[in-house]
mmCIF file of all heavy atoms in Angstrom:
data_model
loop_
_atom_site.group_PDB
_atom_site.id
_atom_site.type_symbol
_atom_site.label_atom_id
_atom_site.label_comp_id
_atom_site.label_asym_id
_atom_site.label_seq_id
_atom_site.Cartn_x
_atom_site.Cartn_y
_atom_site.Cartn_z
ATOM 1 N N LEU N 1 -56.838 -24.398 -65.524
ATOM 2 C CA LEU N 1 -55.852 -25.396 -65.110
ATOM 3 C C LEU N 1 -55.311 -25.095 -63.717
ATOM 4 O O LEU N 1 -54.902 -26.013 -62.986
ATOM 5 C CB LEU N 1 -54.693 -25.459 -66.100
ATOM 6 C CG LEU N 1 -54.931 -26.114 -67.460
ATOM 7 C CD1 LEU N 1 -55.775 -25.228 -68.372
ATOM 8 C CD2 LEU N 1 -53.609 -26.428 -68.149
ATOM 9 N N GLY N 2 -55.277 -23.803 -63.347
ATOM 10 C CA GLY N 2 -54.838 -23.445 -62.005
ATOM 11 C C GLY N 2 -55.812 -23.912 -60.949
ATOM 12 O O GLY N 2 -55.406 -24.407 -59.893
ATOM 13 N N HIS N 3 -57.117 -23.759 -61.233
ATOM 14 C CA HIS N 3 -58.112 -24.289 -60.295
ATOM 15 C C HIS N 3 -57.976 -25.806 -60.166
ATOM 16 O O HIS N 3 -58.068 -26.355 -59.058
ATOM 17 C CB HIS N 3 -59.520 -23.928 -60.761
ATOM 18 C CG HIS N 3 -60.595 -24.335 -59.807
ATOM 19 N ND1 HIS N 3 -61.126 -23.481 -58.865
ATOM 20 C CD2 HIS N 3 -61.224 -25.523 -59.628
ATOM 21 C CE1 HIS N 3 -62.042 -24.117 -58.161
ATOM 22 N NE2 HIS N 3 -62.123 -25.358 -58.603
ATOM 23 N N ALA N 4 -57.729 -26.472 -61.298
ATOM 24 C CA ALA N 4 -57.539 -27.927 -61.248
ATOM 25 C C ALA N 4 -56.314 -28.294 -60.413
ATOM 26 O O ALA N 4 -56.292 -29.338 -59.736
ATOM 27 C CB ALA N 4 -57.415 -28.483 -62.665
ATOM 28 N N ALA N 5 -55.282 -27.444 -60.435
ATOM 29 C CA ALA N 5 -54.102 -27.698 -59.600
ATOM 30 C C ALA N 5 -54.438 -27.528 -58.125
ATOM 31 O O ALA N 5 -54.033 -28.346 -57.279
ATOM 32 C CB ALA N 5 -52.971 -26.763 -59.999
ATOM 33 N N TRP N 6 -55.188 -26.465 -57.773
ATOM 34 C CA TRP N 6 -55.610 -26.298 -56.370
ATOM 35 C C TRP N 6 -56.467 -27.486 -55.923
ATOM 36 O O TRP N 6 -56.419 -27.891 -54.742
ATOM 37 C CB TRP N 6 -56.391 -25.009 -56.197
ATOM 38 C CG TRP N 6 -55.571 -23.760 -56.186
ATOM 39 C CD1 TRP N 6 -55.672 -22.694 -57.024
ATOM 40 C CD2 TRP N 6 -54.499 -23.437 -55.275
ATOM 41 N NE1 TRP N 6 -54.740 -21.732 -56.708
ATOM 42 C CE2 TRP N 6 -54.014 -22.162 -55.638
ATOM 43 C CE3 TRP N 6 -53.916 -24.107 -54.204
ATOM 44 C CZ2 TRP N 6 -52.961 -21.543 -54.958
ATOM 45 C CZ3 TRP N 6 -52.870 -23.499 -53.522
ATOM 46 C CH2 TRP N 6 -52.399 -22.233 -53.901
ATOM 47 N N ALA N 7 -57.260 -28.051 -56.843
ATOM 48 C CA ALA N 7 -58.097 -29.192 -56.490
ATOM 49 C C ALA N 7 -57.255 -30.386 -56.050
ATOM 50 O O ALA N 7 -57.615 -31.109 -55.115
ATOM 51 C CB ALA N 7 -58.988 -29.570 -57.678
ATOM 52 N N VAL N 8 -56.113 -30.597 -56.702
ATOM 53 C CA VAL N 8 -55.207 -31.667 -56.269
ATOM 54 C C VAL N 8 -54.588 -31.316 -54.921
ATOM 55 O O VAL N 8 -54.446 -32.170 -54.034
ATOM 56 C CB VAL N 8 -54.121 -31.910 -57.333
ATOM 57 C CG1 VAL N 8 -53.063 -32.888 -56.814
ATOM 58 C CG2 VAL N 8 -54.743 -32.436 -58.623
ATOM 59 N N MET N 9 -54.249 -30.035 -54.729
ATOM 60 C CA MET N 9 -53.610 -29.630 -53.475
ATOM 61 C C MET N 9 -54.571 -29.595 -52.294
ATOM 62 O O MET N 9 -54.144 -29.521 -51.141
ATOM 63 C CB MET N 9 -52.942 -28.268 -53.654
ATOM 64 C CG MET N 9 -51.677 -28.332 -54.499
ATOM 65 S SD MET N 9 -50.787 -26.757 -54.605
ATOM 66 C CE MET N 9 -51.682 -25.951 -55.938
ATOM 67 N N ALA N 10 -55.894 -29.674 -52.552
ATOM 68 C CA ALA N 10 -56.847 -29.762 -51.444
ATOM 69 C C ALA N 10 -56.678 -31.072 -50.672
ATOM 70 O O ALA N 10 -57.022 -31.153 -49.484
ATOM 71 C CB ALA N 10 -58.272 -29.630 -51.974
ATOM 72 N N ASP N 11 -56.172 -32.085 -51.350
ATOM 73 C CA ASP N 11 -55.809 -33.371 -50.716
ATOM 74 C C ASP N 11 -54.397 -33.701 -51.172
ATOM 75 O O ASP N 11 -54.187 -34.625 -51.961
ATOM 76 C CB ASP N 11 -56.782 -34.477 -51.130
ATOM 77 C CG ASP N 11 -58.213 -34.164 -50.760
ATOM 78 O OD1 ASP N 11 -58.522 -34.146 -49.572
ATOM 79 O OD2 ASP N 11 -59.009 -33.903 -51.686
ATOM 80 N N PRO N 12 -53.397 -32.969 -50.705
ATOM 81 C CA PRO N 12 -52.066 -33.050 -51.315
ATOM 82 C C PRO N 12 -51.452 -34.442 -51.208
ATOM 83 O O PRO N 12 -51.285 -34.967 -50.105
ATOM 84 C CB PRO N 12 -51.252 -32.015 -50.524
ATOM 85 C CG PRO N 12 -52.013 -31.776 -49.266
ATOM 86 C CD PRO N 12 -53.441 -32.019 -49.582
ATOM 87 N N PRO N 13 -51.117 -35.050 -52.336
ATOM 88 C CA PRO N 13 -50.515 -36.377 -52.293
ATOM 89 C C PRO N 13 -49.053 -36.296 -51.846
ATOM 90 O O PRO N 13 -48.388 -35.273 -52.049
ATOM 91 C CB PRO N 13 -50.620 -36.852 -53.745
ATOM 92 C CG PRO N 13 -50.680 -35.603 -54.547
ATOM 93 C CD PRO N 13 -51.362 -34.573 -53.700
ATOM 94 N N PRO N 14 -48.528 -37.353 -51.254
ATOM 95 C CA PRO N 14 -47.152 -37.310 -50.759
ATOM 96 C C PRO N 14 -46.116 -37.160 -51.863
ATOM 97 O O PRO N 14 -45.004 -36.701 -51.604
ATOM 98 C CB PRO N 14 -46.990 -38.653 -50.027
ATOM 99 C CG PRO N 14 -48.071 -39.537 -50.574
ATOM 100 C CD PRO N 14 -49.206 -38.625 -50.911
ATOM 101 N N GLU N 15 -46.467 -37.529 -53.088
ATOM 102 C CA GLU N 15 -45.514 -37.422 -54.188
ATOM 103 C C GLU N 15 -45.362 -35.997 -54.709
ATOM 104 O O GLU N 15 -44.429 -35.695 -55.451
ATOM 105 C CB GLU N 15 -45.951 -38.329 -55.350
ATOM 106 C CG GLU N 15 -46.010 -39.808 -55.010
ATOM 107 C CD GLU N 15 -47.355 -40.222 -54.440
ATOM 108 O OE1 GLU N 15 -48.219 -39.332 -54.197
ATOM 109 O OE2 GLU N 15 -47.570 -41.438 -54.248
ATOM 110 N N LEU N 16 -46.281 -35.106 -54.348
ATOM 111 C CA LEU N 16 -46.231 -33.737 -54.840
ATOM 112 C C LEU N 16 -45.079 -32.981 -54.191
ATOM 113 O O LEU N 16 -44.957 -32.964 -52.966
ATOM 114 C CB LEU N 16 -47.550 -33.018 -54.548
ATOM 115 C CG LEU N 16 -47.644 -31.565 -55.010
ATOM 116 C CD1 LEU N 16 -47.601 -31.466 -56.536
ATOM 117 C CD2 LEU N 16 -48.915 -30.911 -54.468
ATOM 118 N N VAL N 17 -44.235 -32.325 -55.015
ATOM 119 C CA VAL N 17 -43.084 -31.612 -54.460
ATOM 120 C C VAL N 17 -43.076 -30.126 -54.801
ATOM 121 O O VAL N 17 -42.301 -29.366 -54.202
ATOM 122 C CB VAL N 17 -41.757 -32.253 -54.925
ATOM 123 C CG1 VAL N 17 -41.636 -33.679 -54.396
ATOM 124 C CG2 VAL N 17 -41.626 -32.222 -56.450
ATOM 125 N N ALA N 18 -43.915 -29.679 -55.742
ATOM 126 C CA ALA N 18 -43.914 -28.264 -56.108
ATOM 127 C C ALA N 18 -45.146 -27.976 -56.956
ATOM 128 O O ALA N 18 -45.757 -28.888 -57.541
ATOM 129 C CB ALA N 18 -42.651 -27.883 -56.884
ATOM 130 N N ALA N 19 -45.511 -26.680 -57.031
ATOM 131 C CA ALA N 19 -46.639 -26.280 -57.861
ATOM 132 C C ALA N 19 -46.409 -24.865 -58.387
ATOM 133 O O ALA N 19 -45.777 -24.041 -57.735
ATOM 134 C CB ALA N 19 -47.943 -26.334 -57.062
ATOM 135 N N VAL N 20 -46.926 -24.617 -59.584
ATOM 136 C CA VAL N 20 -46.945 -23.284 -60.187
ATOM 137 C C VAL N 20 -48.381 -23.016 -60.622
ATOM 138 O O VAL N 20 -48.964 -23.795 -61.382
ATOM 139 C CB VAL N 20 -46.008 -23.190 -61.405
ATOM 140 C CG1 VAL N 20 -46.073 -21.775 -62.008
ATOM 141 C CG2 VAL N 20 -44.579 -23.558 -61.032
ATOM 142 N N VAL N 21 -48.949 -21.923 -60.125
ATOM 143 C CA VAL N 21 -50.336 -21.555 -60.444
ATOM 144 C C VAL N 21 -50.342 -20.121 -60.965
ATOM 145 O O VAL N 21 -49.794 -19.221 -60.317
ATOM 146 C CB VAL N 21 -51.254 -21.671 -59.216
ATOM 147 C CG1 VAL N 21 -52.666 -21.233 -59.573
ATOM 148 C CG2 VAL N 21 -51.258 -23.097 -58.667
ATOM 149 N N ALA N 22 -50.975 -19.905 -62.114
ATOM 150 C CA ALA N 22 -51.015 -18.576 -62.728
ATOM 151 C C ALA N 22 -52.453 -18.157 -63.005
ATOM 152 O O ALA N 22 -53.305 -18.994 -63.336
ATOM 153 C CB ALA N 22 -50.207 -18.568 -64.028
ATOM 154 N N ILE N 23 -52.720 -16.866 -62.875
ATOM 155 C CA ILE N 23 -53.995 -16.210 -63.203
ATOM 156 C C ILE N 23 -55.197 -17.092 -62.900
ATOM 157 O O ILE N 23 -56.007 -17.388 -63.758
ATOM 158 C CB ILE N 23 -54.009 -15.714 -64.660
ATOM 159 C CG1 ILE N 23 -53.646 -16.819 -65.662
ATOM 160 C CG2 ILE N 23 -53.081 -14.519 -64.821
ATOM 161 C CD1 ILE N 23 -53.847 -16.411 -67.129
ATOM 162 N N SER N 24 -55.330 -17.482 -61.650
ATOM 163 C CA SER N 24 -56.390 -18.410 -61.271
ATOM 164 C C SER N 24 -56.788 -18.166 -59.823
ATOM 165 O O SER N 24 -56.023 -17.594 -59.043
ATOM 166 C CB SER N 24 -55.922 -19.852 -61.455
ATOM 167 O OG SER N 24 -56.983 -20.755 -61.231
#
């Protein structure tokens, strides 16, 4: 799930305001 979160942040949408990534 952390890799999937980085995948969204590779093209960060303007609505994104924070992220938590663990063991990834």
